[in-house]
Amino acid sequence: MNPAEMRAQLEEDMAWRLDEIRHLVNHLLGEVAPEEASVYSLRAILVMQYAHLEGFTRNALSLYVSAVNARSLPIKELKPELMAAALAAEFDGLGKSANSGNEEEGRLTNRARRQIAFVRKLQELIDGPVSIASEVAVSMEMNLGSDVLKRALVSLGIPVEKVEGDQYSSIEFVKRVRNDIAHGSRKENISGGMFNAHLKKCEQFMNGLSRVLTQALSEEWFRLAS
């Protein structure tokens, strides 16, 4: 996958998500201004927006991982961040409690087996091309927010400062409003200004992330500096 192909896929994914949100806005609001709309309608739209934002982020990062994997590069040509990402599952295994694992074996045996699994994976990486499991490297195990996004970027060798500061602010804004709704702490009317800002920030975030990932692939930020 080249940068133009990835960008096209990102734009296609973003387009249908934004179209679905617009359809929901038109269906639930029609000609009614946000200030006059039912709070239930606004909350439903905002929660849907968050779901699409998280889904787009996961898909965008997975596309980038697939593009890197497709290059079948040896470990010596990649940044250490990419090697760490390829070993993410094994790192998690090393961090597990010594008592976890085969209940018929003791904790020391379980720990030894996890260490062996780590070394075996390391040998595979040294002897062959690096392959990163996207479901591990870009996992959204927590609500998507700036810290979760930065963790994914760091794992893929993408400097966090490449994403503009207001993009992180946008994603925190989106997460905060969504969580307030989901947890029942936002039951009052939502202002038209906040609603419209939410719409705008979601689209800005998707565009910004697409730009960064396309640039990262085009300039091969995953490679060691020569």
Side-chain angles (χ1 to χ4, degrees):
M1 183 189 304
N2 61 43
E5 291 171 336
M6 188 178 77
R7 179 69 187 189
Q9 290 192 43
L10 290 173
E11 289 179 349
E12 182 180 356
D13 187 45
M14 180 168 57
W16 81 262
R17 293 180 187 278
L18 293 175
D19 283 345
E20 185 167 283
I21 292 170
R22 293 188 190 102
H23 175 78
L24 188 61
V25 171
N26 293 334
H27 179 73
L28 293 179
L29 301 188
E31 300 298 323
V32 177
E35 293 85 351
E36 301 172 358
S38 164
V39 66
Y40 302 107
S41 295
L42 298 182
R43 287 167 61 190
I45 294 168
L46 295 178
V47 171
M48 176 64 77
Q49 278 188 299
Y50 175 83
H52 275 308
L53 188 62
E54 183 176 278
F56 176 81
T57 302
R58 182 187 293 109
N59 184 56
L61 292 170
S62 295
L63 279 174
Y64 181 76
V65 170
S66 296
V68 174
N69 285 341
R71 280 155 172 74
S72 299
L73 295 170
I75 199 169
K76 64 182 180 181
E77 295 184 18
L78 296 175
K79 290 181 177 178
E81 292 91 335
L82 279 297
M83 181 179 178
L87 289 166
E90 285 69 29
F91 280 133
D92 289 343
L94 290 176
K96 288 181 179 178
S97 168
N99 294 322
S100 62
N102 190 334
E103 295 182 357
E104 297 180 358
E105 297 181 329
R107 64 183 183 84
L108 296 179
T109 306
N110 284 326
R111 183 173 65 184
R113 291 192 185 282
R114 287 195 293 273
Q115 291 171 343
I116 292 168
F118 178 85
V119 173
R120 182 180 295 116
K121 179 65 175 181
L122 187 59
Q123 288 176 324
E124 291 175 0
L125 292 177
I126 293 173
D127 294 336
V130 172
S131 179
I132 301 168
S134 62
E135 65 273 14
V136 177
V138 303
S139 172
M140 301 289 161
E141 71 277 3
M142 301 171 62
N143 286 344
L144 174 64
S146 60
D147 189 40
V148 171
L149 176 60
K150 287 178 180 179
R151 190 266 303 164
L153 294 175
V154 167
S155 296
L156 298 175
I158 299 175
V160 296
E161 62 270 16
K162 293 293 184 178
V163 173
E164 297 177 2
D166 60 351
Q167 292 297 98
Y168 292 117
S169 299
S170 295
I171 205 170
E172 286 300 316
F173 174 91
V174 172
K175 182 182 74 169
R176 184 171 61 253
V177 174
R178 177 265 183 188
N179 285 347
D180 286 349
I181 294 170
H183 299 159
S185 58
R186 180 177 290 278
K187 299 179 180 179
E188 72 278 8
N189 287 335
I190 299 169
S191 70
M194 175 176 286
F195 179 79
N196 289 327
H198 200 280
L199 289 174
K200 183 178 181 181
K201 285 177 181 291
C202 281
E203 187 165 355
Q204 288 175 338
F205 177 81
M206 291 184 190
N207 274 313
L209 185 59
S210 294
R211 175 187 54 78
V212 169
L213 293 179
T214 303
Q215 183 182 2
L217 185 62
S218 177
E219 299 178 3
E220 299 190 326
W221 293 352
F222 46 83
R223 287 185 183 269
L224 279 174
S226 56

